Amino acid sequence: MTIEDLFNECGGFGKYQILLIFGIYIHKLTTGWSMLQMSYAGFIPDWYCSLGPQMDNSSFYKNDTLKECSLNNSHTGYQEEDCRSYHFDGPSNTVVTEFNLVCDRKWIKATITSIQMAGVLVGTAASGQLSEIFGRKKVTFGFSLYHALLNFGAAFSTSWEMFAAFRFLIGIGIGGNLVVTFAYPMEFMPMKWRPLLGIVPAWFLSVSIFSVAALLLSDWSYLHIACCIFNLPALIGYFYVPESVRWLTLQGRFQEAEQIFGKMAMVNGKPPPKSTRTVLEQVYKEERESRSTVKNYTYWDLFKGRQQIIISLVFCYIW
């Protein structure tokens, strides 16, 4: 027997797995929100140039200065001047309006997004290894708490540099959650049911919720605070969602894994498997023997040899 057989004896894909998917995928509801945060925070409303308070009510003010970085003030006889301040139309308060990211500062908006995605890269690269060391549960909930706190902190940014630093750190949380929450529920399901996880609409729900929140709040800082608050209920699952039975088995923690199989069978209305301990010990033994004879690989092995380099670069390009 294998762990796959134990899952099937415990009901395969049953009520336990459905509840587990909900408890883990709820973390994705804020991940998508956070990933697309800059789609609102970086929105550029109509704006116009101001050369000073005395011109704010002039007749040509809005028409002639709309999205102009300098003004040839022929109406008043002045030479062309750079804008002294900017006026933004509409109720939306974005990072662009907060820090005047237009004209000679317009490059900053795209840079902040790139900085965020660099954080996502760091998070995705680190989370897999962290989950192998500390377990899926601690890393999943740890990244969620980290992600919530960083969103709260970002709401109080006083400069674009400070905001960019927060977006990098938030990106690490996004990347970490994306990787761990993808694999975590799979380790409780028979192989034939795993493709179902690909159609769980967690990401699409997340984007939809974010759209509604942006419509209602209309402020980049409020959206960050709301993302933090929305993330907090997911942390309650730490007291109910179990650690991966596969990870526990490979750590030699058979009693904990056995208890989870017992609870899984009970929730799914099945009798607990009688040979659970034997199967877990056999899996542990086979994995230890395999690791002792097989070479350990690193990221560097993806770029060793001409053929491997080509394959790796093709996949990077596709993504």
Side-chain angles (χ1 to χ4, degrees), residues 217-270:
L217 298 176
S218 300
D219 191 296
W220 67 273
S221 60
Y222 293 162
L223 279 172
H224 279 80
I225 294 173
C227 186
C228 168
I229 295 172
F230 192 54
N231 206 127
L232 297 179
L235 299 175
I236 298 174
Y238 184 84
F239 303 101
Y240 302 100
V241 177
E243 180 56 86
S244 162
V245 287
R246 293 177 183 272
W247 185 82
L248 289 172
T249 300
L250 298 181
Q251 300 301 310
R253 294 160 63 174
F254 306 121
Q255 185 174 352
E256 294 175 62
E258 196 172 4
Q259 289 173 351
I260 294 172
F261 274 112
K263 188 172 183 179
M264 187 186 304
M266 181 185 69
V267 174
N268 288 340
K270 300 289 183 179

Side-chain angles (χ1 to χ4, degrees), residues 191-208:
M191 191 173 295
K192 71 175 183 177
W193 291 104
R194 292 178 191 172
L196 281 176
L197 293 174
I199 63 173
V200 177
W203 181 269
F204 306 107
L205 283 173
S206 175
V207 174
S208 300

Side-chain angles (χ1 to χ4, degrees), residues 47-308:
W47 56 274
Y48 44 92
C49 172
S50 174
L51 294 180
Q54 71 278 9
M55 296 180 56
D56 287 356
N57 297 317
S58 59
S59 59
F60 67 92
Y61 184 53
K62 287 190 176 182
N63 293 331
D64 289 7
T65 69
L66 181 64
K67 296 185 178 180
E68 292 290 339
C69 295
S70 60
L71 179 62
N72 185 6
N73 201 348
S74 58
H75 293 265
T76 57
Y78 291 103
Q79 297 294 323
E80 181 172 313
E81 297 181 51
D82 291 335
C83 294
R84 297 174 186 172
S85 62
Y86 305 95
H87 291 259
F88 295 91
D89 273 342
S92 297
N93 183 26
T94 69
V95 174
V96 174
T97 65
E98 184 79 19
F99 304 120
N100 293 328
L101 304 186
V102 292
C103 295
D104 60 339
R105 292 160 66 91
K106 66 181 180 180
W107 59 272
I108 295 173
K109 171 194 167 183
T111 301
I112 292 174
T113 302
S114 297
I115 289 172
Q116 170 189 299
M117 298 310 294
V120 174
L121 175 63
V122 172
T124 53
S127 59
Q129 189 62 39
L130 289 173
S131 66
E132 282 295 311
I133 298 172
F134 300 107
R136 291 26 165 172
K137 179 177 178 177
K138 288 181 179 179
V139 173
T140 297
F141 286 91
F143 268 120
S144 284
L145 178 59
Y146 165 90
H147 178 253
L149 295 176
L150 266 295
N151 265 282
F152 186 79
F156 300 95
S157 298
T158 56
S159 66
W160 76 262
E161 293 92 346
M162 181 178 175
F163 180 73
F166 269 110
R167 291 311 305 175
F168 174 79
L169 297 174
I170 289 170
I172 294 175
I174 295 171
N177 253 331
L178 284 176
V179 171
V180 182
T181 55
F182 179 76
Y184 193 2
M186 286 187 180
E187 299 187 338
F188 292 89
M189 299 171 62
M191 191 173 295
K192 71 175 183 177
W193 291 104
R194 292 178 191 172
L196 281 176
L197 293 174
I199 63 173
V200 177
W203 181 269
F204 306 107
L205 283 173
S206 175
V207 174
S208 300
I209 293 169
F210 167 68
S211 301
V212 174
L215 180 66
L216 295 175
L217 298 176
S218 300
D219 191 296
W220 67 273
S221 60
Y222 293 162
L223 279 172
H224 279 80
I225 294 173
C227 186
C228 168
I229 295 172
F230 192 54
N231 206 127
L232 297 179
L235 299 175
I236 298 174
Y238 184 84
F239 303 101
Y240 302 100
V241 177
E243 180 56 86
S244 162
V245 287
R246 293 177 183 272
W247 185 82
L248 289 172
T249 300
L250 298 181
Q251 300 301 310
R253 294 160 63 174
F254 306 121
Q255 185 174 352
E256 294 175 62
E258 196 172 4
Q259 289 173 351
I260 294 172
F261 274 112
K263 188 172 183 179
M264 187 186 304
M266 181 185 69
V267 174
N268 288 340
K270 300 289 183 179
K274 296 180 180 179
S275 55
T276 302
R277 185 62 171 256
T278 304
V279 173
L280 296 179
E281 290 177 350
Q282 182 62 31
V283 170
Y284 174 81
K285 180 181 178 182
E286 290 175 357
E287 181 67 20
R288 289 295 170 181
E289 291 176 353
S290 175
R291 291 188 179 186
S292 64
T293 57
V294 176
K295 175 187 174 182
N296 290 324
Y297 291 94
T298 65
Y299 285 119
W300 178 245
D301 289 286
L302 294 174
F303 301 95
K304 283 186 177 179
R306 182 173 178 272
Q307 184 177 5
Q308 188 61 43

Side-chain angles (χ1 to χ4, degrees), residues 306-318:
R306 182 173 178 272
Q307 184 177 5
Q308 188 61 43
I309 290 174
I310 292 173
I311 292 172
S312 298
L313 291 178
V314 167
F315 272 105
C316 288
Y317 175 76
I318 291 172

